[in-house]
């Protein structure tokens, strides 16, 4: 089965050699019934856990009423979601564009910023990741995603992340937007200093550039707040949300500050954006996040996880970093043997680059799952050190 999928798939994914057929909470099962703790295979998508019963119920109910209606017709479920999104976003955020994926949310943000400012300049960060469609790709730093397309990409100025002087120099009166992740995910869980975003916000305000905060990965509780940007006491002009918004169902959003007003009709759109089925899933997922205080849970279990990772003693560890349930162990060596070993032991974390082991578990993860993961890591370090 795995081989057939490898042969028929376009080939863009590095596939693992197990076929996953079921999920529940933090657990995944393969075809042979072997169980895995999902420590990141959800890429931060399944914050409310796999097959969350409330999301399932909402999707079932909506499927019986209406799968699809274009965004040109108002719909009560969509309306409910828009209200919820505004209520959980930083104060001042007032309008929402609904779409289907993180990269689309970034595309919309960039277009809206250029449309609103009538400027062209874009500033982004080294090691940043914002998606892979051509507009978003222009703001994604890693060469491995960009090469072959370099000549087609709009010009973007990249500056060192978490360096206030570098970004101050880069933002000018020609800058339409600055796009940043509040913690860099794909770049290896890079956490900025507390006042970095405050500085960026001030420079943007002074120059009239818009601040796009990409919370596709950090959003909806992941880092111990509903949105990570709350930690820095900064209000974005545009907020990008994706990944876990639909509890696993594809949906994403671009949230706009009230000072931007309404965008001009027709400058953007999406056939499936805001379809009632996705909206129903997202409403249920947001309700669950609030009801279970998943941001609070992520904060406390994240602190526990981080302290346990810091207790690991191995000469192969360069550094351990984390904010909430977004964590990484940076190795002095390649990550592949560790990832393979952990998978054999029933733990499924993620890579980042070639030397990081990254952990982005569903936010419903419990202490036992973390202890099991730490045990497996200890074994893996021992076994691979001899
Ligand atoms: C994953 C990710 C994206 C892209 O989302 P897709 O749904 O894969 O298009 C954009 N920005 C950040 C920060 C991400 O982590």
């Amino acid at each position: 089965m795995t081989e057939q999928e490898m042969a028929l798939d376009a080939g863009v994914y590095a596939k693992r050699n197990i076929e996953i057929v079921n999920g529940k909470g933090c657990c995944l099962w393969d075809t042979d019934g072997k169980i895995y703790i999902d420590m990141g295979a959800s890429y931060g998508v399944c914050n409310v856990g796999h097959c969350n019963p409330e999301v399932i119920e909402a999707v079932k109910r909506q499927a019986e009423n209406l799968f699809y209606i274009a965004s040109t017709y108002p719909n009560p479920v969509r309306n409910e979601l828009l209200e919820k999104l505004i209520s959980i976003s930083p104060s001042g955020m007032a309008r929402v564009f609904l779409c289907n994926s993180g990269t689309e949310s970034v595309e919309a943000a960039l277009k809206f910023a250029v449309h609103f400012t009538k400027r062209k300049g874009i500033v982004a960060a080294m090691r940043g990741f914002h998606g892979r469609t051509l507009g978003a790709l222009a703001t994604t730093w890693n060469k491995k995603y960009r090469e072959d397309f370099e000549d087609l990409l709009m010009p973007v100025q990249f500056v060192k992340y978490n360096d206030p002087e570098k970004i101050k120099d880069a933002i000018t009166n020609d800058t339409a937007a600055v796009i940043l992740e509040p913690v860099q995910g794909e770049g290896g869980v890079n956490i900025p200093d507390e006042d970095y975003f405050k500085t960026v916000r001030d420079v943007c305000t002074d120059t009239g550039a818009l601040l796009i905060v990409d919370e596709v990965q950090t959003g909806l509780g992941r880092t111990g707040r509903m949105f990570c940007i709350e930690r820095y006491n900064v209000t974005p002009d545009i907020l990008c949300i994706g990944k876990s918004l639909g509890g696993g169902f594809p949906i994403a959003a671009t949230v706009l500050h009230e000072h931007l007003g309404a965008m001009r009709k027709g400058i953007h759109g999406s056939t499936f954006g805001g379809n009632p089925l996705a909206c129903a899933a997202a409403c249920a997922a947001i309700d669950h996040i609030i009801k279970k205080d998943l941001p609070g849970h992520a904060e406390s279990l994240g602190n526990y996880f981080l302290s346990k990772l810091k207790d690991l003693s191995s000469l192969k560890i360069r550094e351990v970093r984390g904010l909430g349930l977004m964590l990484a162990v940076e190795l002095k060596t390649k990550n592949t043997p560790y990832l393979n070993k952990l998978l054999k032991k029933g733990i499924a974390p993620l890579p980042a680059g070639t030397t990081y082991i990254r952990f982005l578990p569903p936010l419903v993860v419990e202490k036992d799952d973390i202890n099991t993961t730490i045990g497996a890591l200890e074994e893996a370090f021992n076994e691979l050190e001899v």
Side-chain angles (χ1 to χ4, degrees):
M1 203 54 162
T2 308
E3 264 160 41
Q4 167 156 3
E5 187 166 318
M6 285 187 197
L8 296 179
D9 184 278
V12 297
Y13 302 105
K15 287 198 193 275
R16 309 234 172 276
N17 206 13
I18 49 170
E19 192 179 43
I20 300 294
V21 285
N22 289 105
K24 186 85 203 150
C26 284
C27 294
L28 295 168
W29 286 265
D30 71 10
T31 328
D32 303 326
K34 181 172 166 165
I35 187 167
Y36 300 84
I37 301 178
D38 180 0
M39 275 288 156
S42 78
Y43 281 86
V45 167
C46 299
N47 286 11
V48 297
H50 292 278
C51 291
N52 181 289
E54 286 151 38
V55 176
I56 294 175
E57 185 49 39
V59 170
K60 273 190 185 162
R61 213 180 325 118
Q62 187 56 43
E64 284 172 0
N65 289 338
L66 185 67
F67 267 54
Y68 179 77
I69 184 74
S71 289
T72 41
Y73 293 93
N75 168 271
V77 189
R78 187 188 305 119
N79 228 315
E80 187 187 337
L81 176 61
L82 297 177
E83 251 175 40
K84 276 193 210 302
L85 280 169
I86 294 303
S87 74
I88 60 170
S89 293
S91 77
M93 306 307 283
R95 288 177 186 269
V96 185
F97 174 75
L98 291 171
C99 50
N100 313 285
S101 65
T103 198
E104 282 178 62
S105 155
V106 169
E107 294 287 335
L110 295 168
K111 281 180 71 179
F112 293 156
V114 169
H115 166 69
F116 178 80
T117 61
K118 307 280 177 275
R119 302 174 180 182
K120 291 197 193 75
I122 307 284
V123 175
M126 291 171 182
R127 292 175 175 274
F129 182 90
H130 302 289
R132 296 178 174 97
T133 51
L134 289 170
L137 181 62
T139 65
T140 288
W141 181 74
N142 196 323
K143 184 163 159 273
K144 104 176 160 190
Y145 303 119
R146 301 171 60 92
E147 62 188 356
D148 294 351
F149 313 107
E150 211 57 76
D151 293 347
L152 293 174
L153 302 177
M154 63 181 179
V156 168
Q157 191 176 352
F158 288 98
V159 295
K160 194 167 166 227
Y161 189 66
N162 194 28
D163 185 329
E165 294 311 316
K166 288 275 165 25
I167 201 157
K168 265 189 214 164
D169 290 346
I171 303 170
T172 69
N173 292 333
D174 297 322
T175 306
V178 176
I179 181 163
L180 294 170
E181 296 156 89
V183 171
Q184 290 187 324
E186 302 305 303
V189 185
N190 303 317
I191 305 161
D193 296 332
E194 284 246 351
D195 52 0
Y196 176 64
F197 270 85
K198 184 88 184 48
T199 308
V200 178
R201 171 73 273 175
D202 288 346
V203 182
C204 284
T205 305
D206 291 348
T207 53
L210 300 185
L211 175 58
I212 302 171
V213 173
D214 180 351
E215 295 241 21
V216 169
Q217 192 164 132
T218 51
L220 300 163
R222 170 72 40 197
T223 70
R225 299 287 186 278
M226 186 58 85
F227 293 103
C228 183
I229 197 70
E230 295 166 28
R231 288 185 171 275
Y232 314 136
N233 278 318
V234 157
T235 305
D237 299 296
I238 305 180
L239 177 67
C240 297
I241 312 174
K243 291 209 163 91
S244 74
L245 179 55
F249 204 92
I251 178 166
T254 311
V255 187
L256 308 175
H257 195 277
E258 62 186 346
H259 83 85
L260 300 184
M263 296 294 120
R264 195 177 73 229
K265 285 186 186 25
I267 67 154
H268 203 54
S270 162
T271 297
F272 285 118
N275 72 80
L277 208 51
C279 291
C283 284
I286 293 173
D287 285 347
H288 189 88
I289 291 170
I290 295 170
K291 189 174 79 184
K292 299 281 172 169
D293 184 23
L294 291 187
H297 188 69
E299 171 107 330
S300 63
L301 283 213
N303 286 338
Y304 177 75
F305 202 168
L306 184 62
S307 72
K308 288 283 172 188
L309 288 173
K310 284 191 166 156
D311 286 346
L312 289 172
S313 69
S314 164
L315 296 171
K316 297 284 164 60
I317 297 177
R318 187 184 303 281
E319 202 187 7
V320 171
R321 295 195 286 274
L323 192 65
L325 284 169
M326 192 169 177
L327 309 106
V329 174
E330 188 182 354
L331 303 171
K332 291 177 187 163
T333 164
K334 295 263 182 268
N335 52 17
T336 319
Y338 291 87
L339 294 167
N340 290 341
K341 230 192 218 310
L342 287 167
L343 202 58
K344 282 223 176 69
K345 294 177 189 293
I347 309 290
L350 281 173
T354 55
T355 57
Y356 295 90
I357 308 173
R358 191 157 49 119
F359 302 95
L360 292 173
L363 304 187
V364 295
V365 73
E366 292 297 344
K367 235 176 193 172
D368 279 352
D369 305 314
I370 292 173
N371 291 338
T372 309
T373 302
I374 294 290
L377 269 168
E378 275 168 352
E379 284 175 24
F381 279 119
N382 285 335
E383 289 163 21
L384 288 165
E385 232 147 80
V386 287

